[in-house]
Amino acid sequence: MRVAVLADVHANLPALEAVLHDVDARGVDRIVLLGDIAGGPLPAETLDRLATLGERAVWVHGNGERELVDAFDGKPGKDRNAADAAVCAALIGQGHRDRLAGLPMTVTLDVDGLGPVLFCHATPRRDDEFVLVDSPVARWRAVLDGVAEGLVVCGHTHMPFDRLAGGRRVVNPGSVGMNYGPAGAYWALLGDGAVQLRRTAYDARAAAARIEAGPHPQAAWWAEQYVTKPYGDADALEAFTELARD
């Protein structure tokens, strides 16, 4: 089995479409959707596109899915993403909500040449926990306590990396739709005994125009912040370090 891992799409449909075109050209058997899929400017359209993947797609929930379902159900959010979740919830339908509700927090797949691989959004124990590329090994050991798999693939921080942590290999594919650093849509390809961190180029100006023409009330702001003028990796890492301390 060869597996493509797409994390943190954040309803950036143009970026997703570019990655899926790249994925299809590489004969991938499964596409793992690693959470935070629909929290962004084109949530319904993104979910509809991913639904066409059928059984090729393996869905994992992140904090974004939990928050979006809660907002759709009218449950008051208490975290910093509550307002954004409420906006996105107004743009999806019951069928979209039902697809996201009840998704697993972790999935394990046997990947050619790599063996059993555990996939999760943030960590195996929480969907909103911040663990970073430079987090101490002791922190990683605590987060991965009880995990049997030797390779763990996680998202959430939008930072692509591949490192050892307490005897386990941990990979983050980066973000498809909300990248930090050089332009592009980031993802990972697993199989044939290798892990490849990949970046797919797409037309940021055309993507921004498409996003701005969509239904999200803050579409223009979103396109500027995350497509045409994204944050640098150093700024993002500094912000996430503060969140990890909290």
Side-chain angles (χ1 to χ4, degrees):
M1 186 189 299
R2 303 179 79 223
V3 176
V5 188
L6 280 57
D8 299 282
V9 174
H10 281 286
N12 182 345
L13 183 58
L16 171 65
E17 290 175 339
V19 169
L20 290 177
H21 183 269
D22 210 354
V23 166
D24 286 342
R26 283 162 174 76
V28 167
D29 301 294
R30 293 286 185 273
I31 300 172
V32 177
L33 306 172
L34 212 59
D36 281 15
I37 297 162
L42 297 167
E45 296 86 346
T46 296
L47 292 170
D48 288 342
R49 176 64 182 89
L50 291 172
T52 67
L53 298 176
E55 294 184 359
R56 288 180 71 203
V58 178
W59 299 61
V60 176
H61 91 73
N63 59 295
E65 284 65 51
R66 171 174 50 79
E67 293 156 358
L68 188 55
V69 169
D70 283 349
F72 190 94
D73 292 347
K75 297 178 182 178
K78 298 180 181 179
D79 59 30
R80 60 191 178 84
N81 300 318
D84 291 338
V87 171
C88 292
L91 300 177
I92 65 172
Q94 185 70 45
H96 300 121
R97 178 263 178 215
D98 293 345
R99 175 176 290 275
L100 297 178
L103 294 177
M105 193 163 75
T106 66
V107 167
T108 297
L109 298 176
D110 195 25
V111 181
D112 284 352
L114 296 171
V117 180
L118 185 144
F119 299 90
C120 60
H121 175 66
T123 71
R125 64 186 185 180
R126 282 180 55 177
D127 63 19
D128 60 354
E129 191 167 20
F130 284 93
V131 193
L132 307 171
V133 60
D134 59 351
S135 293
V137 169
R139 167 78 168 143
W140 279 104
R141 281 192 178 125
V143 163
L144 301 177
D145 184 43
V147 172
E149 294 83 355
L151 174 56
V152 176
V153 182
C154 58
H156 191 49
T157 62
H158 304 199
M159 295 285 185
F161 65 78
D162 184 351
R163 65 162 286 179
L164 291 176
R168 289 187 180 82
R169 187 178 184 183
V170 184
V171 171
N172 189 315
S175 173
V176 170
M178 194 185 286
N179 69 288
Y180 299 132
Y186 291 75
W187 58 287
L189 179 63
L190 281 62
D192 304 320
V195 174
Q196 300 177 40
L197 295 178
R198 305 194 61 87
R199 177 166 61 96
T200 298
Y202 68 100
D203 189 329
R205 290 183 179 274
R210 188 172 171 190
I211 288 169
E212 289 170 11
H216 197 287
Q218 287 89 43
W221 173 89
W222 201 99
E224 180 178 4
Q225 293 286 305
Y226 300 117
V227 178
T228 59
K229 298 178 181 178
Y231 293 98
D233 58 301
D235 292 335
L237 187 58
E238 182 179 357
F240 285 144
T241 299
E242 290 299 317
L243 289 169
R245 288 196 188 104
D246 293 340

